[in-house]
Amino acid sequence: AHQIGTKFSNNTDDIPRKISTKRGVQRSSVAGDLVRKRFGAKRSPPAQVPFGSSHGTLATSPKMTPEMTPLQENNEWIQIKAENWYDIAKYLKKNEDLYFDSLQCNTGVDLEQGMLESRYNLHSMKHLHAIEIRIKVSIEKPEIPSVESIWRVADWFERETYDMFGINFTGHRDLRRILLPEDWDGWPLRKNYEEQETYHGIVVPKVKEGWE
């Protein structure tokens, strides 16, 4: 089997860029500029963190709130405000220079300090480039506009993120749990989640005695 990582350096910032090049997909370097120009956002200093890290310059600031979050971008991802997401999502899909026609993944992250984050991985089948969108919300009001009417596959992606993190995707046509029962208590992938002891009289923690 081909060892895709054997020739990479130890610099983790370099890995996703090399993987993308290996597969013929480039990270979009124009998405941030076009979004900023279209929606009037200002450039912020790029965060020097590995791709996929949840601890960028915004995430580590204890005083940062969603209302204070500017559009921040580097070569790997763009951070935007929740209230701007639906219009930006339509633009990312319809703009001919970007044409992100494929939503490949949506997931959540518990950043702690009362903050959650939803992440979207977008890909263009036409231009063979990709970008990640990140949106922070507070646990007190975890609301993000749904984009399942733009990318239909977001239907199940957003339902899973809702199921695990309790992020409410407003405008979703059928937002309900997809993995757990509808009356399950809590959001399992939040850092403060405590598993319920029973569910309708059934003991939840698995008893492993005698299994091994």
Side-chain angles (χ1 to χ4, degrees):
H2 179 61
Q3 299 291 322
I4 193 168
T6 54
K7 296 182 179 180
F8 292 165
S9 68
N10 292 325
N11 183 355
T12 54
D13 290 329
D14 221 19
I15 292 176
R17 195 168 297 108
K18 290 185 177 181
I19 291 177
S20 296
T21 303
K22 188 77 175 180
R23 295 174 180 171
V25 178
Q26 299 287 341
R27 291 282 158 183
S28 176
S29 60
V30 299
D33 289 334
L34 289 177
V35 170
R36 187 170 56 253
K37 181 178 180 180
R38 172 68 174 80
F39 293 92
K42 296 180 179 180
R43 178 184 290 275
S44 298
Q48 301 300 317
V49 295
F51 178 68
S53 170
S54 63
H55 300 290
T57 54
L58 296 179
T60 54
S61 173
K63 298 181 180 180
M64 182 61 69
T65 66
E67 290 72 26
M68 298 166 60
T69 304
L71 182 146
Q72 182 180 16
E73 51 88 20
N74 55 27
N75 288 335
E76 311 297 349
W77 49 271
I78 304 173
Q79 188 96 39
I80 65 173
K81 292 183 178 180
E83 60 264 32
N84 298 333
W85 173 222
Y86 186 78
D87 289 336
I88 290 176
K90 288 193 297 184
Y91 179 73
L92 291 173
K93 184 176 182 182
K94 295 181 179 180
N95 182 280
E96 287 298 322
D97 293 325
L98 299 175
Y99 199 68
F100 288 109
D101 55 333
S102 174
L103 171 61
Q104 298 190 320
C105 181
N106 163 238
T107 189
V109 180
D110 186 344
L111 300 174
E112 300 184 286
Q113 300 177 350
M115 300 293 291
L116 301 172
E117 187 172 72
S118 184
R119 299 182 180 181
Y120 302 78
N121 294 112
L122 303 174
H123 174 261
S124 171
M125 302 291 286
K126 177 180 179 181
H127 298 304
L128 294 182
H129 61 201
I131 197 67
E132 179 174 291
I133 301 296
R134 300 184 181 184
I135 303 171
K136 287 185 176 68
V137 291
S138 68
I139 280 183
E140 287 75 19
K141 190 178 180 181
E143 296 183 351
I144 296 175
S146 172
V147 291
E148 55 94 14
S149 63
I150 299 174
W151 295 284
R152 193 66 183 93
V153 70
D155 185 343
W156 286 7
F157 285 157
E158 291 177 346
R159 284 179 58 189
E160 183 176 358
T161 302
Y162 163 73
D163 197 359
M164 295 292 103
F165 292 92
I167 296 176
N168 181 29
F169 295 94
T170 58
H172 191 290
R173 72 187 75 187
D174 187 27
L175 188 63
R176 54 192 170 90
R177 290 190 186 270
I178 193 170
L179 299 175
L180 295 171
E182 195 65 30
D183 59 350
W184 190 263
D185 186 23
W187 315 106
L189 291 186
R190 287 191 183 183
K191 299 290 180 64
N192 63 352
Y193 175 69
E194 294 183 7
E195 188 176 53
Q196 59 197 73
E197 294 183 1
T198 62
Y199 174 73
H200 293 286
I202 303 171
V203 177
V204 173
K206 294 182 179 178
V207 180
K208 297 184 178 180
E209 295 177 3
W211 284 18
E212 291 81 7

